[in-house]
Amino acid sequence: MSVDCITVGNVFSDTRNRLASHYDDNESKAMTEIIFEELLKMDPVDVILRKDNEISDFIYDKIQKVLVRLLADEPIQYIFGKARFYGAEIKVTSDVLIPRPETEELVDIIVKRWGAKPDLSVLDLCTGSGCIAVTLARVLKFPVVTAVDNSARAIEVAKENAALERVKVVFREDDVLTMKPSADTYDIIVSNPPYITPDEKKSMDANVLRYEPASALFVPEDDPIIFYRAIGNFAKDSLKAGGMLYFELNPLFHHRVESKLRSLGFSDVEILRDMAGKERFGIATKHPN
């Protein structure tokens, strides 16, 4: 594109077309809109109304640099350092996973069950960006929320997200595979742990494999429910009577997770499907002995 054609409309069309060579039409459109919102503070209506306005060389160069990164499969959330989650904007870096819509569904399941009850004690294990812990601290009524991760860098990101939302969350660096239980402490324990096996890499997107932290994604091929077993053991002692355990699951192993939870003595074990119809969530209740 020649310099004298650097208008909002031309650059928008050029950006979308270049992205469309690498991403599908919906993705390329959404990414282009995000670029213009972030770099020019223009929503889609502004782009139409101001299509003949010129773009400065400085901003044009910024757009080109973002394009290079996107065409190398870097997630746009890492490029701009933020993602949307449950009606809020959270910070993300390459030290944490980008929150998925399925995880929003998991939060919604908890909120619908517990949203009217105050003063809950909540524990989020494998917290990552803190998206679950911070959201529950924001939307539940006066909860006491604790969040645990084994990554110091992830904990720092999560702390920033709690500060951005002005909520109180106690963060702790610890290994959920070896944590000692705390008897009858929590009303809710929730976790979205690593659950993808190495064999599944062949069907995964390049942007995930190249840029998102492998330690937050993958589990051993020969023990895909390692985190569910450890957290289940922790939860059976640490939940209060009537407390509930919530998991995000790998649909390939939902039967094994359900069987393990039942063997640990949990009752009312449920496997729920996500919006795509996949067995994505595990819920278990601890009843009095």
Side-chain angles (χ1 to χ4, degrees), residues 96 127-128 147-160 171-173:
V96 300
T127 196
V148 175
D149 202 282
N150 66 352
S151 165
R153 291 183 178 180
I155 290 290
E156 287 306 309
V157 174
K159 285 180 177 179
E160 288 188 52
F171 291 100
R172 192 167 86 238
E173 185 181 346

Side-chain angles (χ1 to χ4, degrees), residues 97-109:
L97 293 182
I98 298 165
R100 268 56 173 186
E102 295 85 354
T103 308
E104 290 184 290
E105 290 184 63
L106 177 61
V107 169
D108 208 40
I109 290 167

Side-chain angles (χ1 to χ4, degrees), residues 28-47:
S28 60
K29 178 177 181 289
M31 287 178 179
T32 304
E33 289 177 354
I34 291 171
I35 291 169
F36 273 66
E37 174 66 34
E38 291 296 327
L39 298 182
L40 287 95
K41 307 305 177 188
M42 288 186 184
D43 64 24
V45 174
D46 294 324
V47 170

Side-chain angles (χ1 to χ4, degrees), residues 190-261:
V190 57
S191 184
N192 178 19
Y195 60 58
I196 301 171
T197 61
D199 188 56
E200 295 176 80
K201 286 183 180 180
K202 57 183 177 289
S203 63
M204 294 174 66
D205 292 336
N207 57 353
V208 177
L209 290 174
R210 292 181 187 176
Y211 292 98
E212 299 202 51
S215 61
L217 291 167
F218 295 106
V219 289
E221 192 75 48
D222 61 353
D223 193 4
I225 69 165
I226 182 172
F227 283 93
Y228 300 101
R229 183 171 57 252
I231 294 170
N233 270 299
F234 175 88
K236 70 182 176 64
D237 294 321
S238 299
L239 282 170
K240 299 174 184 177
M244 298 179 71
L245 173 62
Y246 294 85
F247 280 130
E248 185 172 323
L249 305 173
N250 184 332
L252 294 174
F253 306 110
H254 75 274
H255 287 301
R256 293 174 64 174
V257 174
E258 180 179 7
S259 177
K260 173 51 64 177
L261 292 174

Side-chain angles (χ1 to χ4, degrees), residues 57-71:
D57 291 343
F58 175 73
I59 294 297
Y60 181 76
D61 287 343
K62 278 194 163 188
I63 292 172
Q64 301 315 299
K65 289 175 181 176
V66 170
L67 272 173
V68 168
R69 295 170 71 177
L70 287 172
L71 293 171

Side-chain angles (χ1 to χ4, degrees), residues 77 83-90 98-112 129 131-133 135-136 138-139 190-192 195 246-248 273-275 280-281:
Q77 294 90 341
R84 296 294 297 176
F85 187 82
Y86 213 81
E89 193 170 80
I90 67 166
I98 298 165
R100 268 56 173 186
E102 295 85 354
T103 308
E104 290 184 290
E105 290 184 63
L106 177 61
V107 169
D108 208 40
I109 290 167
I110 296 171
V111 172
K112 286 177 179 176
S129 67
C131 61
I132 294 175
T135 302
L136 292 177
R138 175 169 61 89
V139 300
V190 57
S191 184
N192 178 19
Y195 60 58
Y246 294 85
F247 280 130
E248 185 172 323
R273 295 177 184 269
D274 62 19
M275 292 183 69
R280 183 67 62 185
F281 311 111

Side-chain angles (χ1 to χ4, degrees), residues 7-28:
T7 63
V8 169
N10 285 337
V11 175
F12 188 93
S13 296
D14 180 66
T15 301
R16 183 173 176 181
N17 289 337
R18 288 178 64 187
L19 289 171
S21 69
H22 195 71
Y23 298 94
D24 68 35
D25 189 58
N26 287 334
E27 284 182 301
S28 60

